[in-house]
Amino acid sequence: MLSILDQYVEKNLLRKAEDENLVQYNYTEYCNNEGLWDNITMENRGNIYEKSSGKLIAKAMPKFMNLGQLPQYKQEELMLQTDINVTEKMDGCLGILYLYNGEIRCNSRGSFDNYVTDKIKELLPRYSMVYKMLEHNTLIVEVISKETKIICNYDNEDLYLITAYSNNPEIHELSYGQVALMAQIMRMPVVKQYDMTWDELLTFQRV
């Protein structure tokens, strides 16, 4: 698998970051600007693999699109779905929390060590039971702080739990209810969920 991903790196569709044992892949600006999306570029938005085995160690959220970026037929297919999960999109930086060799590790979307990971390490001691939650899961958080500000101003610094991926027995995304329960156990804030229909969403989009 890693040899295939490295071919994408050679084509400037993915870039990678490395430490001694792990490697992380993330799509490039070129891939994004040119819209060169396939399953590999969509799925590798910060995925972390073990170098020696090629095993996926931490699953990150895949690339997501604004509604208007989707082809018309994809928009129509999407709007046929009635069971939709609507959550707040917070305006900070993505953080990926996972265990490796019994140690809590954190990455940003494209780095093992930068200002985002520094902020995660600073804030993480606030929360309880994190290690327990990471024994079988990867946690995806939004890092909110003055250092990670993009556009919105927040009056607090926090890690907001966005979602989580179970690593046992197969990697899969947990439901919002399961994620909210994990957040409650850790005493970590979780992104808000909204009960909205497609009509309400489209009206909200136009406001």
Side-chain angles (χ1 to χ4, degrees):
M1 179 62 181
L2 297 188
S3 62
I4 294 174
L5 296 179
D6 284 338
Q7 291 176 25
Y8 276 70
V9 173
E10 292 175 4
K11 296 175 183 177
N12 195 28
L13 297 175
L14 295 176
R15 58 184 172 88
K16 68 179 181 178
E18 301 180 67
D19 74 357
E20 183 178 354
N21 299 307
L22 302 173
V23 59
Q24 180 181 36
Y25 293 86
N26 181 39
Y27 62 80
T28 62
E29 289 299 318
Y30 171 72
C31 175
N32 185 49
N33 293 339
E34 298 297 322
L36 300 174
W37 301 113
D38 61 16
N39 287 340
I40 289 179
T41 53
M42 292 279 286
E43 284 296 322
N44 283 278
R45 188 174 175 264
N47 286 353
I48 298 157
Y49 302 84
E50 187 175 53
K51 289 181 180 178
S52 60
S53 66
K55 178 183 176 182
L56 178 59
I57 299 297
K59 173 79 175 75
M61 294 174 66
K63 167 67 176 174
F64 54 86
M65 304 285 189
N66 294 325
L67 188 61
Q69 293 176 294
L70 297 173
Q72 184 63 34
Y73 79 93
K74 282 286 187 183
Q75 293 185 40
E76 293 171 356
E77 287 178 359
L78 191 61
M79 290 184 199
L80 291 175
Q81 298 181 26
T82 55
D83 184 19
I84 60 174
N85 180 31
V86 182
T87 57
E88 179 180 11
K89 170 63 178 77
M90 304 212 53
D91 188 46
C93 290
L94 185 73
I96 305 160
L97 298 174
Y98 58 100
L99 286 186
Y100 184 66
N101 288 340
E103 176 188 358
I104 295 179
R105 303 287 301 271
C106 63
N107 282 53
S108 66
R109 186 158 62 89
S111 177
F112 288 87
D113 184 21
N114 62 8
Y115 69 99
V116 179
T117 60
D118 288 344
K119 180 55 66 172
I120 293 172
K121 292 171 186 175
E122 177 187 328
L123 295 175
L124 201 57
R126 293 183 181 184
Y127 313 107
S128 60
M129 301 290 287
V130 173
Y131 190 96
K132 188 68 175 177
M133 296 299 105
L134 289 173
E135 286 182 340
H136 301 294
N137 304 285
T138 296
L139 306 184
I140 309 299
V141 299
E142 194 81 1
V143 187
I144 301 298
S145 70
K146 61 183 180 181
E147 291 89 349
T148 59
K149 174 190 171 183
I150 306 300
I151 297 173
C152 296
N153 289 312
Y154 294 96
D155 58 5
N156 65 321
E157 291 192 336
D158 258 319
L159 305 179
Y160 283 79
L161 188 58
I162 302 172
T163 192
Y165 289 91
S166 172
N167 303 323
N168 184 30
E170 295 181 352
I171 295 176
H172 64 278
E173 187 172 11
L174 300 182
S175 69
Y176 180 84
Q178 291 171 308
V179 170
L181 179 59
M182 293 172 68
Q184 182 181 1
I185 292 171
M186 294 186 293
R187 299 180 181 176
M188 180 183 289
V190 63
V191 293
K192 296 177 183 177
Q193 185 182 51
Y194 297 93
D195 184 14
M196 300 177 74
T197 66
W198 275 113
D199 286 342
E200 289 168 333
L201 274 171
L202 292 174
T203 299
F204 181 78
Q205 182 190 33
R206 290 192 288 267
V207 172

